[in-house]
Amino acid sequence: MTAGIATNSKGQAWFCTTGLPSDVVVDVDDMTFHLHKFPLMAKCRKLHELITEQEANVTPDSVGVERNSEQENEEIQEDKAEKAEDEKQEQYCHVTFPGFPGGPETFEMAAKFSYAVKIELTPSNVAPLRCAGEVLEMTEEYCEGNLISKTERFLSQTVFRSLRDSIETLKSCEHLIPLAESLGIVERCIDSIAAKVSAMDPSLFGWPVNEAMPSSTGAVNSQGGGARRIGDATRATAGGDWWLDELTFVTPTLFKRLIMAMKGQHLSNEIIENCLLCYAKRHIPGINRTCRKPLSSSIPSEIEQKELLEAMVTILPEQNCTRSSTSVKLFFGMLRTANILNASDDTKSALEKKIGSQFELATLDDLLMPSYSYLTETLYDVDCVQRILSHFLDSVEDRTAALMLVGKLIDGYLSEIALDANLKPEKFCELAAALPEQARVYDDGLYRSVDVYIKAHQWIPESDREKVSGVLDCRKLTLEACTHAAQNERLPLRAVVQVLFFEQLQLRHAIAGTLMAADMGPSDSERSPARRQEVVEDDETVVEEGEDGTWRAAVRENQVLRLGMDSMRTRVHELERECTTMRKAIEKIDHVEPPGWRGSLTRKF
């Protein structure tokens, strides 16, 4: 029978040409199948019931006629009999399956199976065929070796033994719910994936270099005794994390269930976090600044993006997991998208805490997030960065190196936002003073930020200038920064005086260190053996040498103090000359400017 079967499709119609006329028409979506009763009824209990019911309800239409004569009556009866026979021949059993699982393609494969045609079971079509067998009631009790038993055997013996095949089958269940759910296909795929990924957990077994997996494209002899794979029996996967990309094609609902199953398998938080980041990267536009379009073919709406983002953040592990600049960049992208989509405050707060736990891995470009709130006038979201910094300081503990990295990062951020004309001095000072003292070895970066801010806000009063420059610790400025600050006309006078004072202290310490190094006598290791022996044998000599060393140290200290005083005296004279010059300049302006301004400026100087 199999050899005599041929199929062809004409437009939206599908025919099975066996040499016999079709007597069953099955409509599946927009496709019409012209088939035969007996092959279908032998395999499908549902079709057997529907066809039998239709045949029982069919009654030939009776037509009333007048008997004009016996000959005419016989001719009419013969015509009616022929017409009735023709109607019976032309009359089909008509069956319609709205919303058939898998659509016309799956029904075609089920029909071929009923005609004893070999079909190819794969991880992508086994779930639709299993659902089709359930709808058509192709059970083992009705016919031995039926479609349900074949598909179940393929699932258990092939699909659920392979991570790749399990993921492929799970993806095919997207349009089969709720039937695939009630048959347990979805749950079994999720459990299989979670178990196999758990076995790949690097904290337990280490990542495998490759995985030997059965071929997903091999054919199955549907009429033979068991599954027969065609092609290579195994294949190697490229890398141990290929499945991360495969999981991004699963629907959001199934993906969330899969993540919960992974948590139930006590999978490491690092792997779970990586799964969530890869999924969000593919389905939510804007997370990557370099690629604004989603990697998936369909672009979700803003409401769908918001719901997906909030769901992803909800199931993120609370513990600090993946520590890398890439993950931090993705978290910043998610936070930026959450601000754009106006996500919930809990979502934003969770992302800020995530970033704060590894803030030292961020870059300046990550921090430059635009402000999307109409309540703030600043160009960048300074409040958000300040909250992230607060979370970092709460979790930093004793990581001095991380603290110094964040200090450098914040100074660079201050230099960028200092150009914003709407940034208030109070907000600038608040962020600059939020870091502890040990976060900055030198305040050169902070001084650069202060200089940029004062230069960009020349209209602010003297009191605000002093407030902004007050965040500087002049003792932590290098000589180069001190030299620049001493000649910086934009700084307030008080800040310049402080810089000059501490500059003199630095010079004094530098000179003192140089003199002490030059006058330092040879160490014990550099002395001759005879000298060391002399010290050991003669205690009186030791005492004399001790007194001599004390005297020499006192002389050295006096010399250092004298040099420092001379240097300070010279600098004071220079300042006096500068003040005299400035006083004369003020007196020349006396006839032009109002007295109040002159007196105030004179008192300041």
Side-chain angles (χ1 to χ4, degrees):
M1 179 179 178
T2 304
I5 294 178
T7 62
N8 61 76
S9 178
K10 297 181 179 179
Q12 298 299 315
W14 189 92
F15 296 87
C16 181
T17 57
T18 61
L20 298 175
S22 301
D23 51 8
V24 176
V25 175
V26 181
D27 290 333
V28 179
D29 295 341
D30 57 348
M31 181 70 74
T32 300
F33 292 87
H34 297 265
L35 305 171
H36 304 85
K37 296 179 182 178
F38 296 107
L40 298 180
M41 295 173 68
K43 293 285 186 179
C44 310
R45 185 196 301 270
K46 186 67 175 179
L47 286 174
H48 182 277
E49 294 175 352
L50 293 174
I51 293 172
T52 303
E53 181 181 356
Q54 286 194 18
E55 288 178 342
N57 294 333
V58 171
T59 56
D61 295 335
S62 59
V63 181
V65 295
E66 295 182 358
R67 298 184 177 182
N68 297 326
S69 62
E70 185 176 350
Q71 184 177 1
E72 290 179 358
N73 187 35
E74 291 177 357
E75 291 177 357
I76 292 174
Q77 292 296 332
E78 290 177 358
D79 291 341
K80 289 190 63 176
E82 291 177 0
K83 289 181 179 179
E85 187 66 25
D86 292 339
E87 289 177 359
K88 287 184 179 180
Q89 293 294 331
E90 295 176 1
Q91 197 168 26
Y92 289 91
C93 288
H94 202 135
V95 180
T96 301
F97 286 105
F100 191 83
E105 296 81 5
T106 303
F107 183 83
E108 179 182 343
M109 295 187 68
K112 288 181 178 180
F113 181 86
S114 300
Y115 281 91
V117 176
K118 294 180 181 180
I119 62 174
E120 179 182 340
L121 291 181
T122 64
S124 59
N125 67 22
V126 66
L129 282 172
R130 173 64 182 88
C131 294
E134 191 71 18
V135 171
L136 299 174
E137 299 182 15
M138 302 175 71
T139 62
E140 194 73 11
E141 293 79 6
Y142 186 73
C143 179
E144 185 178 356
N146 218 336
L147 184 60
I148 290 180
S149 62
K150 295 294 183 182
T151 52
E152 283 291 341
R153 187 180 301 113
F154 184 81
L155 286 170
S156 60
Q157 295 183 358
T158 303
V159 172
F160 299 142
R161 292 183 179 182
S162 166
L163 175 59
R164 187 185 295 273
D165 291 349
S166 298
I167 296 175
E168 189 68 25
T169 302
L170 181 62
K171 290 189 292 185
S172 68
C173 293
E174 176 181 356
H175 303 293
L176 303 175
I177 295 176
L179 184 55
E181 186 72 57
S182 63
L183 296 177
I185 301 176
V186 174
E187 183 177 0
R188 286 181 288 172
C189 286
I190 290 176
D191 292 341
S192 172
I193 294 170
K196 287 174 174 55
V197 172
S198 178
M200 299 169 64
D201 189 350
S203 65
L204 299 177
F205 306 101
W207 287 98
V209 178
N210 49 51
E211 179 191 17
M213 309 179 71
S215 174
S216 297
T217 58
V220 174
N221 186 351
S222 59
Q223 304 301 323
R228 179 173 59 88
R229 312 296 294 187
I230 297 179
D232 295 334
T234 59
R235 68 168 174 229
T237 60
D241 57 351
W242 56 267
W243 55 274
L244 284 174
D245 184 66
E246 292 290 333
L247 288 181
T248 59
F249 295 97
V250 179
T251 61
T253 303
L254 296 179
F255 182 78
K256 287 187 288 186
R257 290 182 54 185
L258 180 58
I259 293 297
M260 299 308 296
M262 288 181 177
K263 289 185 175 181
Q265 292 283 347
H266 303 290
L267 198 64
S268 71
N269 292 328
E270 180 181 358
I271 293 182
I272 293 176
E273 188 173 280
N274 281 332
C275 290
L276 292 170
L277 290 177
C278 289
Y279 196 87
K281 183 179 178 182
R282 175 173 289 277
H283 293 276
I284 302 177
I287 289 183
N288 282 338
R289 288 186 172 181
T290 56
C291 182
R292 293 293 184 180
K293 295 183 179 180
L295 299 178
S296 58
S297 57
S298 59
I299 301 178
S301 65
E302 290 188 0
I303 296 178
E304 292 174 339
Q305 294 179 41
K306 177 182 175 181
E307 293 176 352
L308 177 59
L309 179 61
E310 291 178 347
M312 295 294 100
V313 175
T314 301
I315 57 181
L316 269 175
E318 296 182 359
Q319 296 83 358
N320 190 18
C321 309
T322 308
R323 298 185 60 85
S324 67
S325 58
T326 303
S327 62
V328 173
K329 190 176 295 294
L330 289 176
F331 282 131
F332 267 108
M334 295 173 70
L335 179 58
R336 188 167 52 250
T337 305
N339 290 329
I340 296 174
L341 299 176
N342 195 21
S344 63
D345 293 338
D346 293 338
T347 300
K348 298 176 185 178
S349 178
L351 289 172
E352 289 171 357
K353 290 180 180 178
K354 259 307 187 189
I355 297 172
S357 63
Q358 43 191 333
F359 196 26
E360 71 276 9
L361 300 175
T363 62
L364 180 58
D365 184 62
D366 297 332
L367 269 63
L368 297 177
M369 296 181 295
S371 178
Y372 298 100
S373 175
Y374 63 90
L375 298 176
T376 57
E377 299 178 351
T378 55
L379 179 62
Y380 297 107
D381 196 346
V382 182
D383 293 332
C384 178
V385 174
Q386 193 164 350
R387 289 192 298 269
I388 294 174
L389 177 60
S390 177
H391 292 312
F392 168 76
L393 296 176
D394 292 339
S395 62
V396 68
E397 298 177 353
D398 295 330
R399 293 185 292 160
T400 305
L403 192 60
M404 294 174 64
L405 288 173
V406 171
K408 184 178 180 181
L409 181 64
I410 292 297
D411 288 345
Y413 180 70
L414 287 170
S415 298
E416 290 292 333
I417 65 174
L419 296 170
D420 187 1
N422 295 322
L423 182 63
K424 303 299 182 183
E426 295 78 11
K427 180 60 65 176
F428 179 88
C429 296
E430 186 179 358
L431 181 58
L435 283 170
E437 184 179 355
Q438 60 270 27
R440 298 184 179 97
V441 178
Y442 298 104
D443 272 14
D444 289 17
L446 183 58
Y447 165 70
R448 187 180 303 106
S449 304
V450 170
D451 185 38
V452 172
Y453 185 86
I454 295 178
K455 184 178 180 180
H457 300 75
Q458 298 182 9
W459 59 87
I460 61 175
E462 188 73 12
S463 59
D464 287 342
R465 291 173 181 262
E466 292 182 355
K467 184 186 300 182
V468 171
S469 61
V471 300
L472 289 173
D473 186 355
C474 298
R475 295 171 298 180
K476 299 171 69 173
L477 293 177
T478 61
L479 287 175
E480 292 79 7
C482 286
T483 303
H484 186 277
Q487 301 174 1
N488 193 343
E489 298 178 354
R490 291 182 292 271
L491 291 179
L493 183 60
R494 179 180 298 178
V496 174
V497 172
Q498 289 180 351
V499 169
L500 290 173
F501 175 74
F502 288 109
E503 180 186 14
Q504 295 303 315
L505 287 182
Q506 290 188 22
L507 289 172
R508 176 181 176 182
H509 293 160
I511 294 172
T514 303
L515 291 176
M516 291 180 67
D519 294 341
M520 186 68 66
S523 61
D524 290 341
S525 60
E526 296 174 348
R527 294 174 182 173
S528 62
R531 179 58 177 167
R532 291 199 300 269
Q533 183 66 25
E534 180 181 354
V535 172
V536 174
E537 293 178 353
D538 195 348
D539 293 340
E540 295 181 358
T541 305
V542 173
V543 174
E544 291 177 359
E545 287 184 355
E547 294 177 353
D548 180 66
T550 303
W551 180 82
R552 292 180 61 185
V555 172
R556 234 180 356 258
E557 184 177 356
N558 290 335
Q559 292 175 350
V560 170
L561 291 174
R562 188 179 298 108
L563 287 172
M565 292 299 295
D566 293 341
S567 177
M568 183 64 72
R569 188 180 297 106
T570 303
R571 185 59 178 162
V572 169
H573 289 325
E574 292 177 357
L575 289 175
E576 287 178 352
R577 285 195 297 270
E578 292 179 3
C579 290
T580 302
T581 304
M582 295 173 69
R583 190 179 295 109
K584 291 179 180 180
I586 292 172
E587 291 176 356
K588 291 181 180 179
I589 306 174
D590 183 35
H591 300 288
V592 180
E593 300 295 342
W597 180 87
R598 182 194 66 229
S600 175
L601 186 60
T602 305
R603 282 195 301 273
K604 285 185 178 181
F605 282 108

